[in-house]
Amino acid sequence: QVQLVESGGGSVQPGGSLRLSCAASRTAFNINSMGWYRQAPGKQRELVARITSGGSTNYADSVKGRFSISMDNAKNTVYVQMNSLKPEDTAVYYCNVRMGLRGSIEYWGQGTQVTVSS
């Protein structure tokens, strides 16, 4: 089985920054992409940012220009640098990995809380 260990969440004031990290266990192989999703109370889970093993990235419109995703293939680790944080960024952030044939196998982390408030 694959385990994802998330870190870097916490509380920050509006305009502040956080960096989230997610390390996949060495049992993860043939990784197609890794990414971050978030879910706020009463809202649907949404894609924040995703990066393929080849380096292609995709961002939610709401975070473009503020968030930056990167991946260290050797360490099976994905990062997202979050700048200019807003209260509406408050959510539980979940790491996700897709692997196997056509990226058809999917795993999720337990989630890490990000709170942006004054």
Side-chain angles (χ1 to χ4, degrees):
Q1 66 273 13
V2 170
Q3 292 183 320
L4 303 176
V5 180
E6 301 148 324
S7 62
S11 297
V12 67
Q13 294 183 356
S17 298
L18 288 171
R19 190 176 83 146
L20 304 183
S21 300
C22 173
S25 63
R26 290 292 180 176
T27 52
F29 60 94
N30 295 131
I31 292 176
N32 178 264
S33 65
M34 299 183 74
W36 291 94
Y37 293 71
R38 68 187 181 188
Q39 187 167 22
K43 296 183 178 179
Q44 295 183 357
R45 184 186 65 184
E46 64 175 353
L47 172 70
V48 176
R50 185 157 213 96
I51 185 168
T52 71
S53 60
S56 298
T57 59
N58 187 41
Y59 296 92
D61 288 341
S62 60
V63 308
K64 287 181 179 177
R66 300 189 297 121
F67 292 10
S68 180
I69 191 168
S70 61
M71 184 166 65
D72 186 332
N73 292 298
K75 296 181 179 180
N76 279 9
T77 300
V78 65
Y79 310 89
V80 59
Q81 177 69 42
M82 307 188 296
N83 298 325
S84 302
L85 284 162
K86 305 174 180 179
E88 47 264 49
D89 295 317
T90 296
V92 177
Y93 285 68
Y94 297 92
C95 181
N96 171 268
V97 59
R98 293 174 182 169
M99 52 193 284
L101 182 63
R102 297 179 289 107
S104 59
I105 303 173
E106 190 172 65
Y107 292 91
W108 292 91
Q110 289 293 307
T112 184
Q113 178 71 45
V114 171
T115 302
V116 185
S117 66
S118 300

Coordinates of all heavy atoms in Angstrom, one line a residue, residues 9-107:
G9 N 0.9 22.6 7.2 CA -0.3 23.3 7.4 C -0.2 24.1 8.7 O 0.7 23.9 9.5
G10 N -1.2 25.0 8.9 CA -1.2 25.8 10.1 C -2.1 27.0 9.9 O -2.9 27.1 9.0
S11 N -1.9 28.0 10.9 CA -2.7 29.2 10.8 C -1.8 30.4 10.4 O -0.6 30.5 10.9 CB -3.3 29.5 12.2 OG -4.2 28.5 12.6
V12 N -2.4 31.2 9.6 CA -1.6 32.4 9.1 C -2.5 33.6 8.9 O -3.7 33.4 8.7 CB -0.9 32.0 7.8 CG1 -1.9 31.7 6.7 CG2 0.1 33.1 7.4
Q13 N -2.0 34.8 9.0 CA -2.8 36.0 8.7 C -3.0 36.2 7.2 O -2.1 35.7 6.4 CB -2.2 37.2 9.3 CG -2.1 37.2 10.9 CD -1.5 38.4 11.4 OE1 -1.1 39.3 10.7 NE2 -1.6 38.5 12.8
P14 N -4.0 36.9 6.8 CA -4.2 37.2 5.4 C -2.9 37.9 4.8 O -2.3 38.7 5.5 CB -5.4 38.1 5.3 CG -6.2 37.7 6.5 CD -5.2 37.4 7.6
G15 N -2.5 37.5 3.6 CA -1.3 38.0 3.0 C -0.1 37.2 3.4 O 1.0 37.4 2.7
G16 N -0.2 36.2 4.3 CA 0.9 35.4 4.7 C 1.2 34.3 3.7 O 0.5 34.1 2.7
S17 N 2.2 33.4 4.1 CA 2.6 32.3 3.2 C 2.7 31.0 4.0 O 3.0 31.0 5.2 CB 3.9 32.6 2.5 OG 3.8 33.8 1.7
L18 N 2.5 29.9 3.3 CA 2.8 28.6 3.9 C 3.3 27.7 2.7 O 3.0 28.0 1.6 CB 1.5 28.0 4.4 CG 0.9 28.5 5.7 CD1 -0.5 27.9 6.0 CD2 1.8 28.2 6.9
R19 N 4.0 26.7 3.1 CA 4.5 25.7 2.1 C 4.0 24.3 2.6 O 4.4 23.9 3.7 CB 6.0 25.7 1.9 CG 6.4 24.8 0.7 CD 7.8 24.9 0.3 NE 8.6 24.0 1.2 CZ 9.7 23.4 0.8 NH1 10.1 23.5 -0.5 NH2 10.4 22.6 1.6
L20 N 3.2 23.6 1.8 CA 2.8 22.3 2.1 C 3.7 21.3 1.5 O 4.1 21.5 0.3 CB 1.4 22.1 1.7 CG 0.3 23.0 2.2 CD1 -1.1 22.6 1.8 CD2 0.3 23.1 3.8
S21 N 4.0 20.2 2.2 CA 4.8 19.1 1.6 C 4.0 17.8 1.7 O 3.3 17.6 2.7 CB 6.1 18.9 2.4 OG 6.9 20.1 2.3
C22 N 4.2 16.9 0.8 CA 3.6 15.6 0.8 C 4.6 14.6 0.3 O 5.0 14.7 -0.9 CB 2.3 15.6 -0.1 SG 1.6 13.9 -0.2
A23 N 5.0 13.6 1.1 CA 5.9 12.6 0.7 C 5.2 11.3 0.6 O 4.5 10.8 1.5 CB 7.0 12.5 1.8
A24 N 5.3 10.7 -0.6 CA 4.7 9.4 -0.8 C 5.7 8.3 -0.4 O 6.9 8.5 -0.6 CB 4.3 9.2 -2.3
S25 N 5.2 7.2 0.1 CA 6.1 6.1 0.5 C 6.8 5.5 -0.7 O 6.3 5.7 -1.9 CB 5.3 5.0 1.2 OG 4.3 4.5 0.4
R26 N 7.8 4.7 -0.5 CA 8.6 4.1 -1.6 C 7.8 3.0 -2.3 O 8.2 2.6 -3.4 CB 9.9 3.6 -1.1 CG 10.9 4.7 -0.7 CD 11.4 5.4 -1.9 NE 12.4 6.5 -1.5 CZ 13.0 7.3 -2.4 NH1 12.8 7.1 -3.7 NH2 13.9 8.2 -1.9
T27 N 6.7 2.7 -1.7 CA 5.8 1.7 -2.4 C 5.0 2.3 -3.6 O 4.4 1.6 -4.4 CB 4.8 1.1 -1.4 OG1 4.1 2.1 -0.7 CG2 5.6 0.2 -0.4
A28 N 5.1 3.6 -3.7 CA 4.5 4.3 -4.8 C 5.4 4.2 -6.0 O 6.6 4.6 -5.9 CB 4.2 5.8 -4.5
F29 N 4.9 3.7 -7.1 CA 5.7 3.5 -8.3 C 4.9 3.9 -9.5 O 3.6 4.0 -9.5 CB 6.2 2.1 -8.4 CG 5.1 1.1 -8.5 CD1 4.7 0.6 -9.7 CD2 4.6 0.6 -7.3 CE1 3.7 -0.4 -9.8 CE2 3.6 -0.4 -7.4 CZ 3.1 -0.9 -8.6
N30 N 5.5 4.1 -10.6 CA 4.9 4.5 -11.9 C 4.0 5.7 -11.6 O 2.8 5.7 -12.1 CB 4.1 3.4 -12.5 CG 5.0 2.2 -13.0 OD1 4.8 1.1 -12.7 ND2 6.0 2.6 -13.7
I31 N 4.5 6.7 -10.9 CA 3.7 7.9 -10.6 C 3.4 8.7 -11.8 O 4.4 9.1 -12.5 CB 4.4 8.7 -9.5 CG1 4.4 8.0 -8.2 CG2 3.6 10.1 -9.3 CD1 5.1 8.7 -7.0
N32 N 2.2 9.0 -12.1 CA 1.8 9.8 -13.2 C 1.7 11.3 -12.8 O 2.2 12.1 -13.6 CB 0.4 9.3 -13.7 CG 0.0 10.2 -14.9 OD1 -0.8 11.1 -14.7 ND2 0.4 9.9 -16.1
S33 N 1.2 11.5 -11.7 CA 1.1 12.9 -11.2 C 0.8 13.0 -9.7 O 0.3 12.0 -9.1 CB -0.1 13.7 -11.9 OG -1.3 13.1 -11.6
M34 N 1.1 14.1 -9.1 CA 0.8 14.4 -7.7 C 0.1 15.8 -7.6 O 0.4 16.6 -8.5 CB 2.0 14.3 -6.8 CG 2.7 13.0 -6.8 SD 4.1 12.9 -5.7 CE 3.3 12.8 -4.1
G35 N -0.7 15.9 -6.7 CA -1.4 17.2 -6.6 C -2.0 17.5 -5.2 O -1.9 16.6 -4.3
W36 N -2.6 18.6 -5.1 CA -3.2 19.1 -3.9 C -4.7 19.5 -4.2 O -5.0 20.1 -5.2 CB -2.5 20.3 -3.3 CG -1.2 20.0 -2.7 CD1 0.0 20.1 -3.3 CD2 -1.0 19.5 -1.4 NE1 1.0 19.7 -2.4 CE2 0.4 19.3 -1.2 CE3 -1.8 19.2 -0.3 CZ2 1.0 18.8 -0.1 CZ3 -1.2 18.7 0.9 CH2 0.2 18.5 1.0
Y37 N -5.6 19.0 -3.3 CA -7.0 19.4 -3.4 C -7.3 20.0 -2.0 O -6.6 19.8 -1.1 CB -7.9 18.1 -3.6 CG -7.7 17.5 -5.0 CD1 -6.6 16.9 -5.4 CD2 -8.7 17.7 -6.0 CE1 -6.4 16.3 -6.7 CE2 -8.6 17.1 -7.2 CZ -7.4 16.4 -7.6 OH -7.3 15.9 -8.8
R38 N -8.5 20.7 -2.0 CA -8.9 21.2 -0.7 C -10.4 21.2 -0.6 O -11.1 21.1 -1.6 CB -8.4 22.7 -0.5 CG -9.1 23.7 -1.5 CD -8.4 25.0 -1.4 NE -9.0 26.0 -2.2 CZ -8.5 27.3 -2.4 NH1 -7.4 27.6 -1.8 NH2 -9.2 28.1 -3.2
Q39 N -10.9 21.1 0.7 CA -12.3 21.1 0.9 C -12.6 22.0 2.1 O -12.1 21.7 3.2 CB -12.8 19.7 1.1 CG -14.3 19.6 1.3 CD -14.8 18.2 1.2 OE1 -14.1 17.2 1.4 NE2 -16.1 18.0 0.8
A40 N -13.4 23.0 2.0 CA -13.9 23.8 3.0 C -15.2 23.3 3.5 O -16.0 22.7 2.8 CB -14.0 25.3 2.6
P41 N -15.6 23.6 4.8 CA -16.9 23.2 5.3 C -18.1 23.6 4.4 O -18.1 24.8 4.0 CB -17.0 23.8 6.7 CG -15.6 24.0 7.1 CD -14.8 24.3 5.8
G42 N -18.9 22.7 4.0 CA -20.1 23.0 3.2 C -19.8 23.1 1.7 O -20.7 23.5 1.0
K43 N -18.6 22.9 1.3 CA -18.2 23.1 -0.1 C -17.7 21.7 -0.6 O -17.2 20.8 0.1 CB -17.1 24.1 -0.2 CG -17.6 25.5 0.1 CD -16.5 26.6 -0.1 CE -17.0 28.0 0.2 NZ -15.9 29.0 0.0
Q44 N -17.7 21.6 -2.0 CA -17.1 20.5 -2.6 C -15.6 20.5 -2.6 O -15.0 21.6 -2.6 CB -17.6 20.4 -4.1 CG -19.1 20.2 -4.2 CD -19.5 20.1 -5.7 OE1 -18.7 20.2 -6.6 NE2 -20.8 19.8 -5.9
R45 N -15.0 19.3 -2.7 CA -13.6 19.2 -2.8 C -13.2 19.8 -4.2 O -13.9 19.5 -5.2 CB -13.1 17.8 -2.7 CG -11.6 17.6 -2.8 CD -11.3 16.1 -2.8 NE -11.8 15.4 -4.0 CZ -11.7 14.1 -4.2 NH1 -11.1 13.3 -3.3 NH2 -12.1 13.6 -5.3
E46 N -12.1 20.5 -4.2 CA -11.7 21.1 -5.5 C -10.2 21.0 -5.7 O -9.4 20.9 -4.7 CB -12.1 22.6 -5.6 CG -11.4 23.5 -4.5 CD -11.6 24.9 -4.6 OE1 -12.3 25.3 -5.6 OE2 -11.2 25.7 -3.8
L47 N -9.8 20.9 -7.0 CA -8.4 20.9 -7.3 C -7.8 22.2 -7.0 O -8.3 23.3 -7.3 CB -8.2 20.5 -8.8 CG -6.8 20.7 -9.3 CD1 -5.9 19.6 -8.8 CD2 -6.8 20.7 -10.9
V48 N -6.6 22.2 -6.3 CA -5.8 23.3 -6.1 C -4.7 23.4 -7.1 O -4.6 24.4 -7.9 CB -5.2 23.3 -4.7 CG1 -4.3 24.5 -4.5 CG2 -6.3 23.3 -3.6
A49 N -3.9 22.4 -7.2 CA -2.8 22.4 -8.2 C -2.4 20.9 -8.4 O -2.5 20.1 -7.5 CB -1.6 23.2 -7.7
R50 N -1.9 20.7 -9.6 CA -1.4 19.3 -9.9 C -0.2 19.4 -10.8 O -0.1 20.3 -11.6 CB -2.5 18.6 -10.7 CG -2.2 17.1 -11.0 CD -3.4 16.3 -11.1 NE -3.2 14.9 -10.7 CZ -3.5 14.5 -9.5 NH1 -4.2 15.3 -8.6 NH2 -3.1 13.3 -9.1
I51 N 0.7 18.4 -10.7 CA 1.9 18.4 -11.5 C 2.2 17.0 -11.9 O 2.0 16.0 -11.2 CB 3.1 19.0 -10.7 CG1 4.4 19.0 -11.6 CG2 3.4 18.2 -9.4 CD1 5.5 19.9 -11.0
T52 N 2.5 16.8 -13.2 CA 2.8 15.5 -13.7 C 4.3 15.2 -13.5 O 5.1 16.0 -13.2 CB 2.5 15.4 -15.2 OG1 3.5 16.2 -16.0 CG2 1.1 15.9 -15.5
S53 N 4.7 13.9 -13.7 CA 6.0 13.5 -13.5 C 6.9 14.2 -14.6 O 8.1 14.3 -14.4 CB 6.2 12.0 -13.7 OG 5.7 11.5 -14.9
G54 N 6.3 14.6 -15.7 CA 7.1 15.3 -16.7 C 7.2 16.8 -16.4 O 7.9 17.5 -17.2
G55 N 6.5 17.3 -15.4 CA 6.7 18.7 -15.0 C 5.5 19.6 -15.5 O 5.6 20.8 -15.2
S56 N 4.5 19.1 -16.1 CA 3.4 19.9 -16.5 C 2.5 20.3 -15.3 O 2.3 19.4 -14.5 CB 2.6 19.2 -17.6 OG 3.3 19.0 -18.8
T57 N 2.0 21.5 -15.2 CA 1.3 21.9 -14.1 C -0.1 22.4 -14.5 O -0.3 22.8 -15.6 CB 2.0 23.0 -13.3 OG1 2.2 24.2 -14.2 CG2 3.3 22.6 -12.8
N58 N -1.0 22.3 -13.5 CA -2.4 22.8 -13.6 C -2.8 23.5 -12.3 O -2.6 22.9 -11.3 CB -3.3 21.7 -14.1 CG -4.7 22.2 -14.4 OD1 -4.8 23.3 -15.1 ND2 -5.7 21.5 -14.0
Y59 N -3.4 24.6 -12.4 CA -3.9 25.3 -11.2 C -5.3 25.7 -11.3 O -5.8 26.0 -12.4 CB -3.1 26.6 -11.0 CG -1.6 26.4 -10.7 CD1 -0.7 26.4 -11.8 CD2 -1.1 26.3 -9.5 CE1 0.7 26.3 -11.6 CE2 0.3 26.1 -9.2 CZ 1.1 26.1 -10.3 OH 2.5 25.9 -10.0
A60 N -6.0 25.8 -10.1 CA -7.3 26.4 -10.1 C -7.2 27.8 -10.4 O -6.2 28.5 -10.0 CB -7.9 26.2 -8.7
D61 N -8.2 28.4 -11.0 CA -8.2 29.8 -11.4 C -8.0 30.7 -10.1 O -7.3 31.7 -10.2 CB -9.4 30.2 -12.1 CG -9.5 29.7 -13.5 OD1 -8.4 29.3 -14.1 OD2 -10.6 29.6 -14.1
S62 N -8.6 30.3 -9.0 CA -8.5 31.1 -7.8 C -7.2 31.2 -7.2 O -7.0 32.0 -6.3 CB -9.5 30.5 -6.8 OG -9.2 29.1 -6.5
V63 N -6.2 30.3 -7.6 CA -4.9 30.3 -6.9 C -3.8 30.7 -7.9 O -2.6 30.9 -7.5 CB -4.6 29.0 -6.2 CG1 -5.7 28.6 -5.3 CG2 -4.3 27.9 -7.3
K64 N -4.1 30.9 -9.2 CA -3.1 31.2 -10.2 C -2.4 32.5 -9.8 O -3.1 33.5 -9.4 CB -3.7 31.3 -11.6 CG -4.1 30.0 -12.2 CD -4.7 30.2 -13.6 CE -5.0 28.8 -14.2 NZ -5.7 29.0 -15.5
G65 N -1.1 32.5 -9.9 CA -0.3 33.7 -9.5 C 0.0 33.8 -8.1 O 0.9 34.6 -7.7
R66 N -0.6 33.0 -7.2 CA -0.3 33.0 -5.8 C 0.3 31.7 -5.3 O 1.2 31.7 -4.4 CB -1.6 33.2 -5.0 CG -2.3 34.5 -5.3 CD -3.4 34.8 -4.4 NE -4.5 33.8 -4.5 CZ -4.9 33.0 -3.5 NH1 -4.3 33.2 -2.3 NH2 -5.9 32.2 -3.7
F67 N -0.1 30.6 -5.9 CA 0.5 29.2 -5.5 C 1.4 28.7 -6.6 O 1.2 29.0 -7.8 CB -0.7 28.2 -5.3 CG -1.6 28.5 -4.2 CD1 -1.5 29.7 -3.4 CD2 -2.5 27.5 -3.8 CE1 -2.4 29.9 -2.4 CE2 -3.4 27.8 -2.7 CZ -3.3 29.0 -2.0
S68 N 2.4 27.9 -6.2 CA 3.3 27.3 -7.1 C 3.6 25.9 -6.6 O 4.0 25.6 -5.5 CB 4.6 28.1 -7.1 OG 5.5 27.5 -8.0
I69 N 3.4 24.9 -7.5 CA 3.6 23.5 -7.2 C 4.9 23.0 -7.8 O 5.2 23.4 -8.9 CB 2.4 22.7 -7.7 CG1 2.4 21.2 -7.1 CG2 2.2 22.6 -9.2 CD1 1.1 20.5 -7.3
S70 N 5.5 22.1 -7.1 CA 6.7 21.5 -7.6 C 6.8 20.0 -7.1 O 6.1 19.7 -6.2 CB 8.0 22.3 -7.2 OG 8.1 22.3 -5.8
M71 N 7.7 19.2 -7.8 CA 7.8 17.8 -7.4 C 9.2 17.4 -7.5 O 9.9 17.7 -8.4 CB 6.9 16.9 -8.2 CG 6.9 15.5 -7.8 SD 5.6 14.5 -8.6 CE 6.0 14.6 -10.3
D72 N 9.7 16.6 -6.5 CA 11.0 16.0 -6.5 C 10.8 14.5 -6.8 O 10.3 13.8 -5.9 CB 11.7 16.2 -5.1 CG 13.1 15.7 -5.1 OD1 13.4 14.8 -5.9 OD2 13.9 16.2 -4.3
N73 N 11.0 14.1 -8.0 CA 10.7 12.8 -8.4 C 11.5 11.7 -7.6 O 11.0 10.7 -7.3 CB 11.0 12.6 -9.9 CG 10.1 13.4 -10.8 OD1 8.9 13.1 -10.8 ND2 10.6 14.3 -11.6
A74 N 12.8 12.1 -7.3 CA 13.6 11.1 -6.6 C 13.1 10.9 -5.2 O 13.3 9.8 -4.6 CB 15.1 11.7 -6.5
K75 N 12.5 11.9 -4.6 CA 12.0 11.7 -3.2 C 10.5 11.4 -3.1 O 9.9 11.3 -2.0 CB 12.2 13.0 -2.4 CG 13.7 13.3 -2.2 CD 13.9 14.6 -1.4 CE 15.4 14.9 -1.2 NZ 15.6 16.2 -0.5
N76 N 9.8 11.3 -4.3 CA 8.4 11.1 -4.3 C 7.6 12.1 -3.5 O 6.7 11.8 -2.8 CB 8.0 9.7 -3.8 CG 8.2 8.6 -4.9 OD1 8.7 8.9 -6.0 ND2 7.8 7.4 -4.6
T77 N 8.0 13.3 -3.6 CA 7.5 14.4 -2.8 C 7.0 15.6 -3.6 O 7.7 16.0 -4.6 CB 8.6 14.9 -1.8 OG1 9.0 13.9 -1.0 CG2 8.0 16.0 -0.9
V78 N 5.8 16.1 -3.3 CA 5.3 17.2 -4.0 C 5.1 18.4 -3.0 O 4.9 18.1 -1.8 CB 3.9 16.9 -4.6 CG1 2.9 16.6 -3.5 CG2 3.4 18.0 -5.5
Y79 N 5.3 19.6 -3.4 CA 5.3 20.8 -2.6 C 4.3 21.8 -3.3 O 4.2 21.8 -4.5 CB 6.6 21.5 -2.5 CG 7.8 20.5 -2.1 CD1 8.5 19.9 -3.0 CD2 8.1 20.4 -0.7 CE1 9.6 19.0 -2.7 CE2 9.1 19.5 -0.4 CZ 9.9 18.9 -1.3 OH 10.9 18.1 -0.9
V80 N 3.7 22.6 -2.4 CA 3.0 23.7 -3.0 C 3.3 24.9 -2.1 O 3.1 24.9 -0.9 CB 1.4 23.5 -3.1 CG1 0.8 23.2 -1.7 CG2 0.8 24.7 -3.7
Q81 N 3.9 25.9 -2.7 CA 4.2 27.2 -2.0 C 2.9 28.1 -2.2 O 2.5 28.4 -3.3 CB 5.4 27.9 -2.7 CG 5.7 29.2 -2.1 CD 6.2 29.2 -0.7 OE1 7.0 28.3 -0.3 NE2 5.8 30.1 0.2
M82 N 2.4 28.5 -1.1 CA 1.2 29.3 -1.1 C 1.5 30.7 -0.5 O 1.8 30.9 0.6 CB 0.1 28.6 -0.2 CG -0.2 27.2 -0.6 SD -1.6 26.4 0.2 CE -1.0 26.5 1.9
N83 N 1.4 31.7 -1.4 CA 1.6 33.1 -1.0 C 0.4 33.9 -1.1 O -0.6 33.5 -1.7 CB 2.7 33.7 -2.0 CG 4.0 33.0 -1.9 OD1 4.4 32.5 -0.8 ND2 4.7 32.9 -3.0
S84 N 0.4 35.1 -0.5 CA -0.7 36.0 -0.5 C -2.0 35.3 -0.1 O -3.1 35.4 -0.8 CB -0.9 36.7 -1.9 OG 0.3 37.4 -2.3
L85 N -2.0 34.6 0.9 CA -3.1 33.8 1.4 C -4.3 34.6 1.8 O -4.1 35.7 2.3 CB -2.7 32.9 2.5 CG -1.9 31.6 2.1 CD1 -1.2 31.0 3.3 CD2 -2.8 30.6 1.4
K86 N -5.5 34.1 1.4 CA -6.8 34.8 1.7 C -7.6 34.0 2.6 O -7.5 32.8 2.7 CB -7.5 35.1 0.4 CG -6.7 35.8 -0.7 CD -7.5 35.9 -2.0 CE -6.8 36.6 -3.1 NZ -7.5 36.7 -4.3
P87 N -8.5 34.6 3.3 CA -9.4 33.8 4.2 C -10.2 32.7 3.4 O -10.4 31.6 4.0 CB -10.4 34.9 4.7 CG -9.6 36.1 4.8 CD -8.7 36.1 3.5
E88 N -10.5 33.0 2.2 CA -11.2 31.9 1.4 C -10.3 30.8 1.0 O -10.8 29.8 0.5 CB -11.8 32.6 0.1 CG -10.8 33.5 -0.7 CD -11.0 34.9 -0.3 OE1 -11.1 35.3 0.9 OE2 -11.1 35.7 -1.3
D89 N -9.0 30.8 1.3 CA -8.2 29.7 1.2 C -8.3 28.7 2.3 O -7.7 27.6 2.3 CB -6.7 30.1 1.0 CG -6.4 30.9 -0.3 OD1 -7.0 30.5 -1.3 OD2 -5.7 31.9 -0.2
T90 N -9.0 29.1 3.4 CA -9.1 28.2 4.5 C -9.8 26.9 4.2 O -10.9 26.9 3.6 CB -9.9 28.9 5.6 OG1 -9.2 30.1 6.1 CG2 -10.2 28.0 6.8
A91 N -9.2 25.8 4.5 CA -9.7 24.5 4.1 C -8.8 23.4 4.6 O -7.7 23.7 5.1 CB -9.9 24.4 2.6
V92 N -9.3 22.2 4.5 CA -8.4 21.0 4.7 C -7.8 20.7 3.3 O -8.5 20.5 2.4 CB -9.1 19.8 5.3 CG1 -8.2 18.6 5.4 CG2 -9.7 20.2 6.6
Y93 N -6.5 20.6 3.3 CA -5.8 20.3 2.0 C -5.3 18.9 2.0 O -4.7 18.4 3.0 CB -4.6 21.3 1.9 CG -4.9 22.7 1.5 CD1 -5.6 23.5 2.4 CD2 -4.6 23.2 0.3 CE1 -6.0 24.8 2.1 CE2 -5.0 24.5 -0.1 CZ -5.7 25.3 0.8 OH -6.0 26.6 0.5
Y94 N -5.7 18.2 0.9 CA -5.4 16.8 0.8 C -4.4 16.5 -0.4 O -4.6 17.0 -1.5 CB -6.7 16.0 0.4 CG -7.7 16.1 1.5 CD1 -8.7 17.0 1.5 CD2 -7.7 15.1 2.6 CE1 -9.7 17.1 2.5 CE2 -8.6 15.1 3.6 CZ -9.6 16.1 3.5 OH -10.6 16.1 4.5
C95 N -3.4 15.8 -0.1 CA -2.4 15.3 -1.1 C -3.0 14.2 -1.9 O -3.7 13.3 -1.3 CB -1.1 14.9 -0.4 SG 0.2 14.4 -1.6
N96 N -2.7 14.1 -3.2 CA -3.2 13.0 -4.0 C -2.1 12.6 -4.9 O -1.3 13.4 -5.4 CB -4.4 13.6 -4.8 CG -4.8 12.6 -5.9 OD1 -4.3 12.7 -7.1 ND2 -5.7 11.7 -5.6
V97 N -2.0 11.3 -5.2 CA -1.1 10.7 -6.1 C -1.8 9.8 -7.1 O -2.7 9.0 -6.7 CB 0.1 10.0 -5.4 CG1 -0.4 8.8 -4.6 CG2 1.1 9.5 -6.5
R98 N -1.5 9.8 -8.4 CA -2.0 8.9 -9.4 C -0.9 8.2 -10.0 O 0.2 8.7 -10.3 CB -2.8 9.7 -10.5 CG -4.1 10.4 -10.0 CD -4.7 11.2 -11.0 NE -5.9 11.9 -10.5 CZ -6.5 12.9 -11.2 NH1 -6.1 13.3 -12.4 NH2 -7.6 13.4 -10.6
M99 N -1.1 6.9 -10.1 CA 0.0 6.0 -10.6 C -0.6 4.8 -11.3 O -1.8 4.6 -11.4 CB 0.8 5.5 -9.4 CG -0.1 4.8 -8.3 SD 0.8 4.6 -6.7 CE 1.8 3.1 -7.2
G100 N 0.3 4.0 -11.9 CA -0.1 2.8 -12.6 C -0.5 3.1 -14.1 O -0.3 4.2 -14.6
L101 N -1.2 2.2 -14.7 CA -1.6 2.3 -16.1 C -2.6 3.5 -16.2 O -3.6 3.6 -15.6 CB -2.3 1.0 -16.5 CG -2.8 1.0 -18.0 CD1 -1.6 1.1 -18.9 CD2 -3.5 -0.3 -18.2
R102 N -2.2 4.4 -17.1 CA -3.0 5.6 -17.3 C -3.3 6.4 -16.1 O -4.2 7.2 -16.1 CB -4.2 5.3 -18.1 CG -4.0 4.6 -19.4 CD -5.3 4.3 -20.1 NE -6.0 3.1 -19.5 CZ -7.1 3.2 -18.7 NH1 -7.7 4.4 -18.6 NH2 -7.6 2.2 -18.2
G103 N -2.4 6.3 -15.1 CA -2.7 6.9 -13.8 C -4.0 6.5 -13.2 O -4.7 7.3 -12.5
S104 N -4.4 5.3 -13.3 CA -5.7 4.8 -12.9 C -5.8 4.4 -11.4 O -6.9 4.2 -10.9 CB -6.1 3.6 -13.7 OG -5.1 2.5 -13.6
I105 N -4.6 4.4 -10.7 CA -4.6 4.0 -9.3 C -4.4 5.3 -8.5 O -3.5 6.1 -8.8 CB -3.6 3.0 -9.0 CG1 -3.8 1.7 -9.8 CG2 -3.6 2.7 -7.5 CD1 -2.6 0.7 -9.6
E106 N -5.2 5.6 -7.5 CA -5.2 6.8 -6.8 C -5.2 6.6 -5.3 O -5.8 5.7 -4.8 CB -6.5 7.6 -7.2 CG -6.5 9.0 -6.7 CD -7.7 9.8 -7.3 OE1 -8.9 9.4 -7.0 OE2 -7.5 10.7 -8.1
Y107 N -4.4 7.5 -4.6 CA -4.3 7.5 -3.2 C -4.4 8.9 -2.7 O -4.0 9.9 -3.3 CB -2.9 6.9 -2.8 CG -2.8 5.4 -3.0 CD1 -2.2 5.0 -4.2 CD2 -3.2 4.5 -2.1 CE1 -2.1 3.6 -4.5 CE2 -3.0 3.1 -2.4 CZ -2.5 2.7 -3.6 OH -2.3 1.4 -3.8

